[in-house]
Amino acid sequence: IEKVLISEKPDALLIYGDTNSTLAGSLVASKLHIPIFHIEAGNRLGELYNPEEINRIVADHLSELKFAATDIAYNNLVKENIGKGSYVVGNIMYDAFMEYTNTNYIVDKLLDIDNNYIKVPKDYYYMTCHREENTRDDKPLTEILSAMNDLDLITIYPVHPRNRERAKRICEKNSFKNIFLVNPVGYLESVNLTKKAKKIVTDSGGLQCEAFFAKVQCVTIYDKVCWPETMVNNRNQLAKADKKEILEKLSSEQKIDSAYMPFGDGHAAEKIVKYINKWEK
């Protein structure tokens, strides 16, 4: 990143989210005195043990323009005395979701982890699970998979490479026949699977948002709230890696308030560009 910034001499660096590359970009640009613009600023878990939390905080405090996805995120920035240069623009994930769900793209078959094509059933549950606390040993993942196996429909589970062998072994050992273990899917495939799923179980911050956009009920296997805006009317519920609790949460029904749109109107990117165009170094 340093080599590119020195070579290109940009007016500013636009960074997104809370990954290690986000942190790296913010540190390099700051030391080179290049202004930083941070998209998805202000998100907080409230726990510094979480690596992404450190990335978010450092990136926000080094950024000149901070684009918050929601009012809650904006208020977090104000509380940290970095409200100047902060704006609520909506969530650009919602922009992308709206763009790509309006296509004719259809997922009708997927590659399983043995590289055989399987037909996507008409009705199914969609699951992702990759966080270390849910996959570092057999117990939590077995609880999650056991819950999914007891449901009334097939579960489609794109398996992260880190727990591919573990997931396969658990399913074979316990004769879980109601779960399709498939290779990782791309963004368009995931959006399509999300939109048509009966319900979703995940530990992904992004997928729980996309489930909310798609009006598909979600259960999140995590102990912290990533997106408080989604935690309304059973739209998204937290559960431990515990079979009984997961099934209990999945058995509830959500209530959708069509007037409730905490992530904006699908034009976040346009608003970001507008603020950047107004910015003066």
Side-chain angles (χ1 to χ4, degrees):
I1 294 175
E2 182 180 54
K3 289 178 181 177
V4 171
L5 294 183
I6 290 172
S7 172
E8 297 295 329
K9 298 180 176 59
D11 295 317
L13 178 69
L14 189 67
I15 57 174
Y16 173 79
D18 56 18
T19 64
N20 286 342
S21 57
T22 302
L23 175 64
S26 65
L27 290 174
V28 170
S30 176
K31 292 178 180 181
L32 293 175
H33 308 292
I34 296 170
I36 303 159
F37 305 157
H38 187 199
I39 298 174
E40 203 181 83
N43 288 6
R44 297 290 185 268
L45 283 178
E47 295 285 352
L48 281 177
Y49 79 86
N50 178 269
E52 290 85 0
E53 186 84 339
I54 297 166
N55 297 351
R56 294 181 200 110
I57 292 171
V58 174
D60 284 339
H61 280 261
L62 293 177
S63 294
E64 186 153 337
L65 293 183
K66 295 161 285 286
F67 301 115
T70 66
D71 291 335
I72 292 174
Y74 173 80
N75 289 334
N76 289 336
L77 296 169
V78 172
K79 288 175 188 174
E80 294 175 18
N81 296 316
I82 50 174
K84 182 181 178 182
S86 299
Y87 304 96
V88 180
V89 295
N91 194 326
I92 62 168
M93 282 197 294
Y94 185 45
D95 291 25
F97 185 87
M98 294 297 291
E99 175 77 17
Y100 291 109
T101 51
N102 289 327
T103 68
N104 294 322
Y105 188 84
I106 296 174
V107 179
D108 56 1
K109 58 184 178 180
L110 294 166
L111 273 176
D112 69 15
I113 60 172
D114 294 317
N115 290 320
N116 299 309
Y117 278 106
I118 60 168
K119 183 176 174 59
V120 175
K122 180 182 178 183
D123 300 303
Y124 57 87
Y125 294 92
Y126 184 39
M127 168 183 159
T128 71
C129 183
H130 72 281
R131 288 187 186 274
E132 184 184 358
E133 48 266 61
N134 290 329
T135 61
R136 65 178 148 220
D137 59 52
D138 284 10
K139 189 175 187 305
L141 190 57
T142 300
E143 288 284 318
I144 297 165
L145 291 172
S146 182
M148 304 311 291
N149 191 65
D150 278 9
L151 295 172
D152 56 322
L153 299 171
I154 288 288
T155 291
I156 296 175
Y157 174 23
V159 186
H160 193 284
R162 79 192 302 172
N163 59 310
R164 175 191 180 102
E165 296 307 316
R166 188 184 303 280
K168 183 177 181 180
R169 186 181 70 251
I170 290 171
C171 285
E172 290 175 350
K173 177 182 176 182
N174 295 279
S175 299
F176 291 160
K177 305 295 185 184
N178 213 22
I179 298 170
F180 284 175
L181 300 179
V182 302
N183 285 320
V185 296
Y187 175 72
L188 283 177
E189 290 173 309
S190 186
V191 164
N192 194 277
L193 291 167
T194 298
K195 185 173 64 171
K196 297 178 180 178
K198 180 177 180 180
K199 294 185 180 183
I200 287 170
V201 171
T202 188
D203 57 9
S204 161
L207 184 55
Q208 61 188 270
C209 262
E210 288 163 352
F212 185 88
F213 304 154
K215 298 181 173 59
V216 175
Q217 188 177 17
C218 181
V219 172
T220 300
I221 314 298
Y222 198 41
D223 58 357
K224 295 292 179 184
V225 174
C226 296
W227 292 98
E229 299 83 1
T230 67
M231 311 298 290
V232 297
N233 300 325
N234 291 336
R235 299 283 305 274
N236 184 17
Q237 302 172 82
L238 295 187
K240 297 183 180 66
D242 175 81
K243 177 180 179 177
K244 183 179 178 182
E245 185 173 348
I246 294 167
L247 290 174
E248 181 183 317
K249 297 290 174 69
L250 283 171
S251 69
S252 67
E253 294 301 323
Q254 67 175 346
K255 180 182 177 183
I256 297 174
D257 176 2
S258 57
Y260 178 63
M261 297 181 65
F263 296 106
D265 57 5
H267 296 279
E270 295 169 34
K271 293 171 186 174
I272 290 169
V273 170
K274 181 184 75 173
Y275 284 119
I276 290 175
N277 284 336
K278 288 182 178 180
W279 171 76
E280 293 182 3
K281 188 172 181 179

